[in-house]
Amino acid sequence: MAKLSSESLLSFSAAAAAVTLTTSQKLIRNFSYYKSRESDVIYRSNLIDVLKSIRYNSFSLHNMMEDDRQHPFFYVAVAGNIHESLEELHRKLLFFDADDISEIIPLIDSERSFWSNCSDPHFYDKTLTNALEKSIPDTLCEIEDHLNRLPISVIL
């Protein structure tokens, strides 16, 4: 039986932890979504909370990438959370009137497309670090401006 080196074992453990964390968070989100189906209202404040989560995770990912001590497998978990939150935001926005979301949906779709590559190892390069410093915060601020202009709630 082959033995794993301590570095390989650490990498394997980090990958397993990242996959477990990402999967469990996705299951929690899905459970919460289907459990909350008894409510027939989507509130603007909930959408803003989802966006705050995206901003927090993007800042966290940037900080992790700047710290050489962090293991790259955890980048995938954080980036996966960002992508999942963008999917949730998109799904909930579709219940609002088309005129209210016509300017925000292309911004979110662009971010969803960008973050959909989060499982590609080449995604985590200097380009991502630069985007996390410049373009992504600007886009998230623009999305927040649009969210603040939405009606307070929408009934499904």
Side-chain angles (χ1 to χ4, degrees), residues 10 48 71 86 89 131 149:
L10 178 65
I48 292 171
H71 204 283
L86 286 164
L89 190 60
R149 288 186 234 137

Side-chain angles (χ1 to χ4, degrees), residues 29-143:
R29 241 188 318 274
N30 288 344
F31 179 76
S32 297
Y33 174 72
Y34 290 112
K35 182 181 173 191
S36 69
R37 295 295 294 170
E38 61 202 39
S39 172
D40 292 336
V41 180
I42 294 177
Y43 294 97
R44 175 180 62 199
S45 61
N46 292 1
L47 298 178
I48 292 171
D49 289 342
V50 171
L51 184 67
K52 286 179 182 176
S53 170
I54 294 168
R55 290 175 92 169
Y56 173 79
N57 282 322
S58 67
F59 290 134
S60 296
L61 180 59
H62 181 262
N63 289 338
M64 286 171 55
M65 291 181 75
E66 292 292 314
D67 183 359
D68 293 335
R69 296 174 297 165
Q70 294 296 325
H71 204 283
F73 289 111
F74 293 108
Y75 301 170
V76 178
V78 176
N81 285 340
I82 293 169
H83 184 252
E84 287 296 317
S85 295
L86 286 164
E87 293 290 333
E88 177 183 358
L89 190 60
H90 182 266
R91 182 180 65 240
K92 289 181 176 179
L93 275 170
L94 293 177
F95 290 104
F96 285 83
D97 187 51
D99 292 335
D100 293 333
I101 62 171
S102 63
E103 294 178 10
I104 192 173
I105 289 295
L107 294 170
I108 292 174
D109 284 345
S110 173
E111 288 298 306
R112 287 171 56 217
S113 175
F114 176 78
W115 288 100
S116 68
N117 297 317
C118 67
S119 60
D120 181 1
H122 302 294
F123 180 72
Y124 303 94
D125 61 9
K126 197 66 174 167
T127 305
L128 177 59
T129 304
N130 291 336
L132 287 166
E133 287 177 7
K134 296 177 177 77
S135 62
I136 292 172
D138 292 342
T139 303
L140 295 179
C141 285
E142 190 175 351
I143 291 171

